[in-house]
Amino acid sequence: SFHAFWNGDIMKKSILIFLCLLFGVCLTLNIKQTANAKGYIRYNLSEDGVLSFYGKGELKRADYLLSIEKDCIKKIVIGEGITSLRKNSFTYFPNAKKVILPSSLKKIGENVFSNMSALETIKVPDSVISIGKGAFSDCDLLKKLVLPDSVTSIGKGAFSDCDSLKKLVLPASLKSWKKGIAQNCSSLSKVVNRSKVSFHLDDCRGWRIWKVN
């Protein structure tokens, strides 16, 4: 009977170990599948106020996830693999001075960076094809914006109400834009239009048309 009890005890332990190993393998596979799932985005906020995003696909709104922490964010880093920024993704991040965008990014949606009143510098990568309505509106400290020769369309008011914007460089690849893309930019003194389409500028006294011949 002792022998039978001993064998039964060993069998129970063996089954328990097997189930634990099986659970561990399943958990690992599940984590891996979740991490590789399309559109799965992770984020990390460091102690010094750097907000970083990792993953693949479209990044949806981040403001409602971080409503309590938004004021302490000084820098935003969008990681490689992220292809699109959905409408209002980073609206009202008042103290973010710098944004770094990945070379995988193709689309900047409507109002993505609007009302980022402390934003001073951002480089648009040459992978971006479209910039949505109001994408950079009300970025009060943004002084210069150069768009690469990959952008083909710009939405209405994309750079409107940027009080410190002095120079805007538009790409040769541009095929269409809406009137008033740089509306109410009181400091704007230079527009380099490298495209073949007319640029309508509201200078507070009416419309001026800029065109490269």
Side-chain angles (χ1 to χ4, degrees):
S1 61
F2 176 77
H3 182 71
F5 173 79
W6 179 256
N7 286 340
D9 190 47
I10 293 176
M11 181 64 71
K12 289 180 181 178
K13 288 182 178 180
S14 299
I15 292 173
L16 183 61
I17 292 172
F18 173 76
L19 290 174
C20 288
L21 290 172
L22 182 62
F23 177 76
V25 171
C26 291
L27 183 61
T28 302
L29 288 174
N30 184 59
I31 291 172
K32 186 176 180 180
Q33 288 172 357
T34 303
N36 291 336
K38 183 178 180 180
Y40 180 83
I41 307 294
R42 308 179 305 280
Y43 76 86
N44 177 67
L45 179 58
S46 67
E47 293 182 358
D48 57 349
V50 179
L51 176 63
S52 302
F53 290 87
Y54 312 91
K56 296 181 180 180
E58 182 180 55
L59 192 155
K60 300 177 182 179
R61 289 185 63 172
D63 58 348
Y64 69 90
L65 293 174
L66 301 157
S67 57
I68 299 176
E69 303 166 333
K70 287 169 68 173
D71 289 347
C72 70
I73 295 170
K74 304 295 190 297
K75 180 180 177 181
I76 297 173
V77 179
I78 312 298
E80 291 295 335
I82 294 175
T83 57
S84 176
L85 302 178
R86 185 178 285 192
K87 179 180 178 180
N88 299 321
S89 296
F90 297 100
T91 301
Y92 297 108
F93 277 72
N95 297 318
K97 294 182 178 181
K98 187 175 183 180
V99 175
I100 296 178
L101 301 175
S103 59
S104 57
L105 189 65
K106 295 182 179 180
K107 181 181 179 181
I108 299 175
E110 292 184 16
N111 302 312
V112 167
F113 300 112
S114 66
N115 288 281
M116 291 184 65
S117 53
L119 183 63
E120 296 176 350
T121 176
I122 185 170
K123 182 179 180 181
V124 179
D126 58 9
S127 55
V128 172
I129 297 173
S130 66
I131 297 175
K133 176 182 177 182
F136 296 93
S137 60
D138 292 285
C139 292
D140 295 334
L141 298 183
L142 190 63
K143 295 180 179 180
K144 180 181 177 181
L145 193 60
V146 178
L147 302 181
D149 284 333
S150 57
V151 177
T152 59
S153 66
I154 301 175
K156 184 177 181 179
F159 320 110
S160 64
D161 298 290
C162 292
D163 294 336
S164 300
L165 186 64
K166 295 181 178 181
K167 183 178 180 180
L168 179 63
V169 179
L170 301 169
S173 57
L174 202 57
K175 295 179 180 179
S176 65
W177 58 46
K178 300 294 183 180
K179 283 187 177 181
I181 62 170
Q183 197 168 7
N184 300 323
C185 295
S186 56
S187 300
L188 187 61
S189 59
K190 186 173 184 180
V191 177
V192 180
N193 181 6
R194 300 174 57 234
S195 75
K196 295 182 180 180
V197 292
S198 298
F199 172 62
H200 297 264
L201 178 66
D202 179 8
D203 65 350
C204 302
R205 293 186 298 274
W207 294 99
R208 287 184 179 179
I209 299 178
W210 303 64
K211 185 174 182 179
V212 173
N213 296 319

